[in-house]
Amino acid sequence: MTATSSKPFYRIPRRVPGSQFPVSEIYKPSPTPQPANILPPSRHPYADIVHRLEAGGGLLPDSPENLMRVIGMYKAYAVPMDFYWRDLLYLGERVFIDPLPFFKYFPTQEYFDLPNHYAGDNADYRIWRGWEKAHPELMEFIEKGETGKLPRLFHHLWHDRINMEFSEDLARSMMWHRMSGPLEAFLDSEEYITNANRAIEAYLLSNPLYAPLIVLHKAFPQMFLEQARMATYMSILGLFWEIMAPVFFEISDLYDEGKIQTIPDAINFLVNGIFIAAGRPIYHHVYIKGKCYEIIPKSKGFMWLYEAALPYVEAVFYRTSPFRGTKSYNAEAGEVPEKQEDFHYGILYADKFPVGTAGIPPTLLHQDMSHFLPQYLREHLLRNCRGEGDLLVQVGISFQRSMYTVTSAVIQALRAALLYPLDDPNPKHLVANRAFFEGQLNRFLRPQYGINEASRILNVQTTTYK
Amino acid sequence: MLSVLIWLPVVGAALLGFWPGTLPAPRARWGALAIAATTFLWTILLLSQFDLTQPGLQMQEYLPWIPTLGLNYTLGVDGLSLPLVFLCNLVTLIVIFAGVSGVAGLDNDAVTKRARLFFILTLLANAGITGALLSQNLLLFLIFYELELIPFYLLIVIWGGNRREYAGMKFLIYTAVSGIIILAAFLAIALLGDFRSFDFSDISTGGFSQRTQLILLTMLLVGFGIKIPLVPLHSWLPDAYVEASTPVAILLGGALAKLGTYGLVRFCLGFFPETWKLIAPGLSILAAVCVIYGAMAAIAQKDIKRMVAYSSIGHMGYVLLGTVALTPLALVGAVAQMVSHGLILALLFYLVGVIEAKVGTRELDVLNGLLNPLRGLPATSALLILGGMASAGIPGLVGFIAEFLVFQGSFAIFPIPTLLSVIASGLTAVYFVILINRTCFGKLDNYTAYYPRVTRIEQVPALVLVAIIFFLGVQPSWLVRWSEPTSTALVAAVPSGAPTLSQLPPAKAPSLL
C-alpha cells in the first residue's frame, strides 16, 4: 500500500480468522511479544509509531493517563451504544420503511430487554460478565434523564435524551460510502430486491393508513426499496454495536479489576474481541405483525468482521462526511474531495475544539457520553482546562484517543489475520509486517485536501492535547 | 451637592493613602470600590435632582478663595457637563470594579502589590475630571485640568505595557503643552478684558476685536485639540492608549478625552460664538478629515487595541462636526456622541483587555475563533460584536443615535463634510468587521487554544455597559433629554442674524421627551 493509495485498507485477499483464539469467559492478558529486533530502524516519518506497532503497541503512546482516558471513554461510550444498537435494531426491524416515523427513538420495552448475544448467562459468546438486558445506567437515564422522572415523550421534547440522530448519521454514512464488504453487491441483487419488496408490501398493507402508498410503491419501485436498504444499514450498524458494547463494558470492568494495565493490554483484549466476533452473522430481519421477513437471511453467510466491523472503521473512523461547520460544500471552492476515497472527516481526523459549536455532528455523541463518564475520568477531566466549562471538548479529545486505540487494535488484528506474528524470526516476514504498518500510517500522510494536516495522530502523541 | 462629587474621591484616596499601618490589598480594593460606588450613587441622585427645563447652571456653589487672583471655588452643572459627569463616574466605577476583580490586562501581581497606589490614583483622576467638568471658574478649571496629568502619567508608566515609559512621557509632554496653551489663552482673556474674577459668569469676550478673538480661539482649539484629540495633534493617543493597561485606557478614553470635547463646546463655542461661526467651515473640513483619517488608520492596524484607539480618533471627528454645525440638533448630537463614544470605547477597551488577558495576544493574525462556545471566549466575543456594531453606528445601539443626530443637524449646513463623515462611518464598519472576523470567527488553533475561562464577575462590567448602550439605543430620550435645553441655549447665544438658525426651521431640537 503506497502513500497515495485510495483503496480502503481492508480489501486484501482474505483469510478468515474464524475462531482461532479460544473463547474464554474472562480475558487473560497475553504477554506482549518482543520484536526480534532484526530489522534496521524504520525510515518512515512516523518511525516511532511504526516501532511501537511492531512491539505490539498502538498508535497512542502507552501511559497510565492515556489508559485511564481510553478505558474511561470506552465505558462512557458503551452505555449510549447500548441504546444505539437496540434502537438501531428497532429501526431496522420494526420501523423499517415507516413514512412517518414519529416515535422512532422510542424502542419498545422488548428491545430494552432484548438479550445481548455476548453478555450474561445465556450468551453465545460471553464477552461481558454482566447482564444481557439494557445496562442499568442506561435504564436510569432513560427514566430520569438530567431533569428527573418524567414521561419519556417529555424527556424527548425537552431534549433530555440519547442523541440517536448521531447513530443514524453513521448508518447513513456507511450507506452513502457503500461500505459493507461483499454485502454491498448483494443489496443490488435480484434476491435482495425480491425479499425487500415482499417486506415492503407487507409493511404497507399492515397499516390501513399506509395501504394506499402501495400505489406509490408500484409507480416508483426504487423509492421504498432505497428506504429498505437504509433500514438494512441500520441493522448492520446495530449488529456491529451489539458486540462492541459488551466488549467495552468488559474492558472497563477488567480495568477496574486491575487486569488491564497498559495500552497494549487493551489492544490485545480488543483484538481478541474482534476475532471472537469475526464470524458472527450479519442479517436483516423485519418483523411485521409478528411475522418475520428475512430480507438478508443468516444463511447468506455474511460475517461481522467483513460486513460490519471493517466497513464501519473505514466509513466512520476515516471517512464520514465533511462537517457542515468546518468545510464548504461549494463546488467551486473544491474543499470537499470529488472521490469518496479521499474523504477524511472521521474521528481520526476530526477537529475536536469546535465541539459544542453549530455544524459539528460529534457534539451529539459527546453530549451522550458526558452523561455516563466513570467517576475517575470525570474527576480527572474536571481538573483539566476549564473543567465543566469545556467538558465536551475534553470528552471529545479523550474519545479521539480511545478511537486511535481501537484503530490500533484493528490494525493489529488485520496484521494477525493476514500477515505474521510480531515475534516471527524470519526477517522477510517482519519486513512484510513493517510494510503493512507503514502503509496504514501513510493514510495519515496523504497531502491531498490537507489530509495530513487534518490527521490528529501527532496531537495524540502529546500529553498537552486535552 | 456638587462638592461631594469632587471631594468624596479625594477623601477616599487620602484615607487609602494615609491609613495607619499596612492596609491589606483586598481591603484597599473594597474600600476603593465603596467610594467609587458611593460617588456613582451620588451622581444618580444628582441626575434625579436636575431640572430638565432649565438651560442654565444649576446647583451652583460659590466660595471666594483667592480674590486677588480672581480664583473662586465656583461650581455649577448644566446640560453639557451633567452627562459627562455621569459618564466619568460610571467609567471610574467600572475601572475600579475591574481592578477589584483583578481582570482585564492588569498584571495580577502588580495590582496585588500596589493596589493601594492604583486605587488612589484612579480616585484622584476621577476627582480631577469631575472637578474640571463642574468648575465655573477658568483658573479652577485649569487646576483640575492640570491635576489630571500626574495620576494619569503614573497610571500609564507603572502599570503599562512594554513601551510604557515612552508612551507615558509622550502623553505627559503633549498634555502639558495643551495645559500651557490653555493657560496662556485664559490669562490673555483675563488681561484683555477687565473682569472681576475668572468666573465664567464674569467673562464676556464680546468686546474683543475679531483678530484677538481669532488668536485666542486658535490657542484654545489647539489646547483642547490635543486632548480630544483632533487629527494633526493626535499622535500621543495610539501610544498612550495601547501602552496603558486596560483600566487606565478605559479611564483615558472614556473620561479624560471627554474633557477636550467639553472644553471645545464650553470655551471655544461658549466664549467666542461669533468667531467660532467664522471658522466653522474650516473646522467642518477638519472634522471630516478626522473621521476619515481615524477610520483609514484603523483599517491598516494589526493590533486590536490600536484599532480601537484609532477608532476613537475617528469618533471624535463627529463631535467636532456636531459642534461646528451650530444647530441645536447637531449640538445635542455632539454631546450624545461624547457620551456614546465614552460608553462604547470603555466597552471595547474592556473586552480587548479581557481578550488580551486570557489569550495573551492582541495580534489580528494570531487571534482566531474566539466565538467557540466551549474553548473560546463566547460571551466576550458576542459582546465585542455588539460593541463593534455600536461603534459602527448600527441602529438600535447608542452610536447610531448620536451619529444620526449629528448628521441630521449638520447636513443642511455642511453637506460635503457630513457626507464624507457618513462614508467614513461606513469605513468604521469595515474595520470592525475585519476585527470581528479575525478575532471572533474562524477556528481555534489546536496547539495554543487553552485559554482560561472568563469568570462571571469579569463579565459584569461589559454586561452593564452593553445594557446601557442598548437601552440608550432604543430609548434615546434618556440620552438627549439632559442636554437639550443647554444646547439650544448655547446655539441661541450665537449672534442672531446668523443665517444658520433662520434657515433651519425643521432642524429644531427633537421632541423626544
Side-chain angles (χ1 to χ4, degrees):
Chain A
M1 185 164 282
T2 63
T4 52
S5 164
S6 56
K7 286 260 164 30
F9 66 88
Y10 61 86
R11 299 226 168 130
I12 313 169
R14 38 158 80 192
R15 268 171 44 197
V16 180
S19 303
Q20 44 182 265
F21 283 72
V23 179
S24 60
E25 281 201 340
I26 298 177
Y27 164 77
K28 293 176 190 67
S30 54
T32 306
Q34 290 306 305
N37 224 358
I38 314 173
L39 298 184
S42 164
R43 300 169 76 167
H44 192 270
Y46 295 154
D48 287 348
I49 305 175
V50 173
H51 297 151
R52 205 190 297 141
L53 287 167
E54 287 176 345
L59 300 170
L60 195 67
D62 182 19
S63 72
E65 188 191 328
N66 267 342
L67 185 70
M68 177 194 65
R69 282 165 170 262
V70 164
I71 304 286
M73 288 321 299
Y74 288 157
K75 174 66 194 305
Y77 190 21
V79 183
M81 189 185 275
D82 198 32
F83 180 80
Y84 293 161
W85 80 260
R86 289 168 192 280
D87 197 33
L88 281 168
L89 284 187
Y90 178 71
L91 290 180
E93 297 176 354
R94 306 285 165 152
V95 177
F96 189 42
I97 54 155
D98 192 345
L100 303 168
F102 288 128
F103 296 100
K104 60 178 177 175
Y105 301 149
F106 294 84
T108 51
Q109 188 59 39
E110 184 190 348
Y111 274 82
F112 285 112
D113 294 339
L114 198 64
N116 188 308
H117 286 96
Y118 314 96
D121 292 332
N122 301 319
D124 294 357
Y125 291 119
R126 190 172 193 183
I127 295 175
W128 183 39
R129 290 160 288 163
W131 73 343
E132 65 281 4
K133 295 181 185 176
H135 195 271
E137 282 182 42
L138 174 68
M139 292 319 291
E140 195 191 336
F141 184 79
I142 297 281
E143 196 185 343
K144 294 190 188 139
E146 287 172 332
T147 44
K149 207 165 172 172
L150 284 171
R152 276 177 71 197
L153 184 63
F154 290 174
H155 277 298
H156 183 87
L157 295 175
W158 190 248
H159 204 111
D160 183 10
R161 60 188 173 94
I162 304 277
N163 292 315
M164 190 51 203
E165 294 91 332
F166 181 77
S167 58
E168 280 188 295
D169 203 35
L170 296 190
R172 262 185 224 112
S173 190
M174 285 178 75
M175 173 161 175
W176 185 73
H177 283 290
R178 293 309 295 246
M179 278 297 143
S180 60
L183 195 148
E184 178 196 327
F186 179 72
L187 288 176
D188 293 322
S189 70
E190 279 305 318
E191 188 182 351
Y192 180 85
I193 295 172
T194 317
N195 291 346
N197 278 340
R198 202 181 318 131
I200 290 168
E201 280 162 27
Y203 185 87
L204 292 177
L205 292 175
S206 71
N207 185 336
L209 203 63
Y210 295 159
L213 292 178
I214 201 90
V215 182
L216 207 58
H217 176 54
K218 296 288 180 205
F220 306 102
Q222 289 295 321
M223 194 175 76
F224 283 115
L225 184 62
E226 194 68 1
Q227 290 301 311
R229 289 193 184 111
M230 191 67 253
T232 300
Y233 273 95
M234 299 281 176
S235 285
I236 294 174
L237 185 57
L239 292 171
F240 171 65
W241 273 339
E242 185 188 1
I243 287 176
M244 292 319 285
V247 166
F248 287 155
F249 281 132
E250 179 65 19
I251 200 171
S252 166
D253 285 357
L254 289 171
Y255 176 76
D256 292 345
E257 291 161 18
K259 289 185 179 138
I260 288 202
Q261 292 182 331
T262 61
I263 296 263
D265 284 350
I267 291 175
N268 276 336
F269 179 83
L270 292 173
V271 170
N272 282 4
I274 289 170
F275 283 138
I276 286 169
R280 294 294 299 164
I282 291 293
Y283 52 91
H284 182 200
H285 294 174
V286 180
Y287 296 92
I288 302 163
K289 293 220 160 171
K291 201 177 160 215
C292 177
Y293 292 78
E294 296 196 348
I295 296 186
I296 300 179
K298 286 184 183 176
S299 58
K300 293 301 292 180
F302 293 120
M303 283 184 298
W304 183 84
L305 181 67
Y306 291 106
E307 316 306 341
L310 296 178
Y312 174 86
V313 169
E314 176 69 21
V316 172
F317 285 12
Y318 285 97
R319 294 189 182 184
T320 67
S321 46
F323 296 0
R324 267 75 70 207
T326 49
K327 291 287 168 195
S328 164
Y329 279 71
N330 182 340
E332 286 183 349
E335 272 189 35
V336 170
E338 281 176 33
K339 292 184 187 153
Q340 285 168 260
E341 294 93 55
D342 290 333
F343 272 43
H344 55 284
Y345 309 103
I347 175 69
L348 304 180
Y349 300 95
D351 182 358
K352 286 293 163 190
F353 276 52
V355 163
T357 317
I360 307 292
T363 303
L364 292 172
L365 174 64
H366 300 329
Q367 197 202 359
D368 282 349
M369 295 195 295
S370 70
H371 300 135
F372 305 109
L373 292 173
Q375 196 57 31
Y376 58 86
L377 184 59
R378 185 174 190 84
E379 279 166 11
H380 178 77
L381 296 183
L382 290 185
R383 278 195 301 273
N384 274 327
C385 301
R386 292 190 187 175
E388 194 72 63
D390 62 353
L391 189 67
L392 285 194
V393 176
Q394 293 194 56
V395 163
I397 287 169
S398 303
F399 179 67
Q400 197 163 42
R401 286 176 191 270
S402 70
M403 290 301 112
Y404 265 101
T405 310
V406 173
T407 310
S408 314
V410 173
I411 291 175
Q412 292 289 12
L414 279 173
R415 192 264 314 140
L418 308 168
L419 292 157
Y420 308 99
L422 295 169
D423 47 3
D424 196 303
N426 184 340
K428 279 186 186 160
H429 292 175
L430 292 182
V431 167
N433 278 354
R434 172 169 288 181
F436 172 74
F437 288 140
E438 290 181 349
Q440 293 300 328
L441 287 171
N442 284 341
R443 294 203 72 175
F444 301 112
L445 283 168
R446 300 176 58 204
Q448 292 92 337
Y449 301 99
I451 295 177
N452 49 355
E453 284 155 28
S455 150
R456 304 288 148 180
I457 190 162
L458 288 183
N459 295 77
V460 298
Q461 305 303 314
T462 66
T463 54
T464 48
Y465 179 59
K466 26 180 98 165
Chain B
M1 185 87 193
L2 300 180
S3 289
V4 175
L5 285 179
I6 302 173
W7 295 108
L8 190 64
V10 174
V11 170
L15 269 179
L16 288 180
F18 297 111
W19 196 268
T22 50
L23 188 62
R27 206 173 288 175
R29 290 169 180 198
W30 288 110
L33 188 62
I35 294 158
T38 316
T39 317
F40 182 70
L41 287 178
W42 198 265
T43 316
I44 301 291
L45 187 66
L46 182 66
L47 285 177
S48 69
Q49 301 289 309
F50 191 77
D51 181 1
L52 288 175
T53 55
Q54 200 188 330
L57 291 171
Q58 301 184 27
M59 293 168 229
Q60 302 196 49
E61 290 175 22
Y62 176 79
L63 200 71
W65 186 7
I66 312 178
T68 44
L69 279 180
L71 172 58
N72 296 319
Y73 180 75
T74 319
L75 302 181
V77 66
D78 65 0
L80 176 60
S81 46
L82 183 70
L84 298 180
V85 169
F86 170 79
L87 178 68
C88 168
N89 285 323
L90 174 70
V91 163
T92 309
L93 179 61
I94 280 171
V95 162
I96 288 184
F97 184 85
V100 168
S101 53
V103 275
L106 264 184
D107 189 293
N108 271 330
D109 277 354
V111 179
T112 321
K113 279 179 199 146
R114 311 175 82 163
R116 258 166 100 170
L117 184 58
F118 178 80
F119 292 123
I120 289 168
L121 292 175
T122 312
L123 288 172
L124 285 179
N126 175 42
I129 297 170
T130 322
L133 291 170
L134 295 177
S135 299
Q136 297 299 324
N137 182 295
L138 285 183
L139 285 187
L140 190 65
F141 170 84
L142 211 69
I143 288 171
F144 283 121
Y145 188 82
E146 295 284 345
L147 249 171
E148 289 311 308
L149 269 185
I150 303 151
F152 270 107
Y153 172 71
L154 293 175
L155 283 169
I156 294 173
V157 166
I158 298 176
W159 288 277
N162 289 335
R163 289 168 65 240
R164 55 181 182 261
E165 269 146 32
Y166 167 76
M169 190 51 76
K170 204 167 172 183
F171 166 80
L172 185 68
I173 293 172
Y174 268 81
T175 324
V177 169
S178 150
I180 291 167
I181 296 173
I182 293 168
L183 175 66
F186 283 176
L187 290 179
I189 289 172
L191 286 176
L192 291 173
D194 187 21
F195 307 120
R196 277 189 295 132
S197 72
F198 279 99
D199 286 356
F200 294 177
S201 51
D202 291 342
I203 289 171
S204 78
T205 58
F208 297 171
S209 73
Q210 193 170 67
R211 188 200 285 172
T212 319
Q213 288 202 18
L214 206 54
I215 293 171
L216 293 173
L217 180 57
T218 310
M219 289 168 77
L220 287 180
L221 205 54
V222 171
F224 288 117
I226 292 175
K227 199 83 158 192
I228 293 174
L230 299 178
V231 149
L233 311 169
H234 66 278
S235 66
W236 62 272
L237 180 138
D239 289 310
Y241 281 20
V242 171
E243 292 309 318
S245 66
T246 300
V248 180
I250 294 174
L251 210 54
L252 261 178
L256 188 65
K258 303 302 165 288
L259 271 190
T261 52
Y262 168 78
L264 197 72
V265 178
R266 173 73 78 210
F267 302 107
C268 299
L269 168 61
F271 283 10
F272 305 98
E274 285 168 73
T275 322
W276 182 256
K277 199 164 146 44
L278 192 69
I279 61 168
L283 290 179
S284 70
I285 293 167
L286 184 65
V289 169
C290 264
V291 178
I292 293 174
Y293 175 88
M296 297 283 217
I299 288 175
Q301 300 308 315
K302 289 280 180 196
D303 174 326
I304 51 176
K305 207 168 178 183
R306 228 163 233 282
M307 272 182 144
V308 175
Y310 276 105
S311 87
S312 170
I313 297 176
H315 283 87
M316 287 293 102
Y318 299 125
V319 177
L320 185 61
L321 184 66
T323 317
V324 295
L326 284 174
T327 63
L329 190 60
L331 199 58
V332 167
V335 179
Q337 172 68 5
M338 295 179 206
V339 177
S340 95
H341 173 259
L343 294 170
I344 294 169
L345 193 74
L347 173 67
L348 290 173
F349 270 141
Y350 187 81
L351 296 172
V352 168
V354 170
I355 289 174
E356 189 187 0
K358 302 296 172 185
V359 180
T361 180
R362 298 190 311 249
E363 291 294 314
L364 269 191
D365 297 336
V366 181
L367 290 168
N368 227 336
L370 294 187
L371 211 46
N372 180 316
L374 301 184
R375 276 275 157 96
L377 314 173
T380 307
S381 305
L383 295 174
L384 186 65
I385 293 173
L386 234 115
M389 280 162 56
S391 193
I394 301 292
L397 301 164
V398 71
F400 170 77
I401 306 297
E403 284 179 27
F404 192 73
L405 285 175
V406 170
F407 294 151
Q408 178 82 346
S410 68
F411 181 72
I413 316 298
F414 302 119
I416 301 293
T418 307
L419 283 177
L420 288 175
S421 300
V422 172
I423 291 172
S425 126
L427 294 178
T428 310
V430 168
Y431 63 74
F432 270 115
V433 169
I434 293 177
L435 189 155
I436 288 164
N437 187 24
R438 303 266 180 87
T439 308
C440 305
F441 299 155
K443 59 177 189 174
L444 291 171
D445 178 4
N446 276 204
Y447 289 94
T448 55
Y450 296 92
Y451 311 135
R453 102 182 78 198
V454 183
T455 56
R456 268 157 212 251
I457 200 150
E458 287 172 323
Q459 282 166 351
V460 168
L463 285 173
V464 169
L465 283 168
V466 162
I468 297 175
I469 286 170
F470 184 72
F471 173 74
L472 293 180
V474 292
Q475 209 46 260
S477 79
W478 285 85
L479 177 65
V480 295
R481 68 198 304 178
W482 317 104
S483 50
E484 260 188 283
T486 308
S487 5
T488 314
L490 269 173
V491 172
V494 178
S496 58
T500 53
L501 273 177
S502 53
Q503 273 175 4
L504 272 177
K508 58 184 195 297
S511 50
L512 291 162
L513 303 181

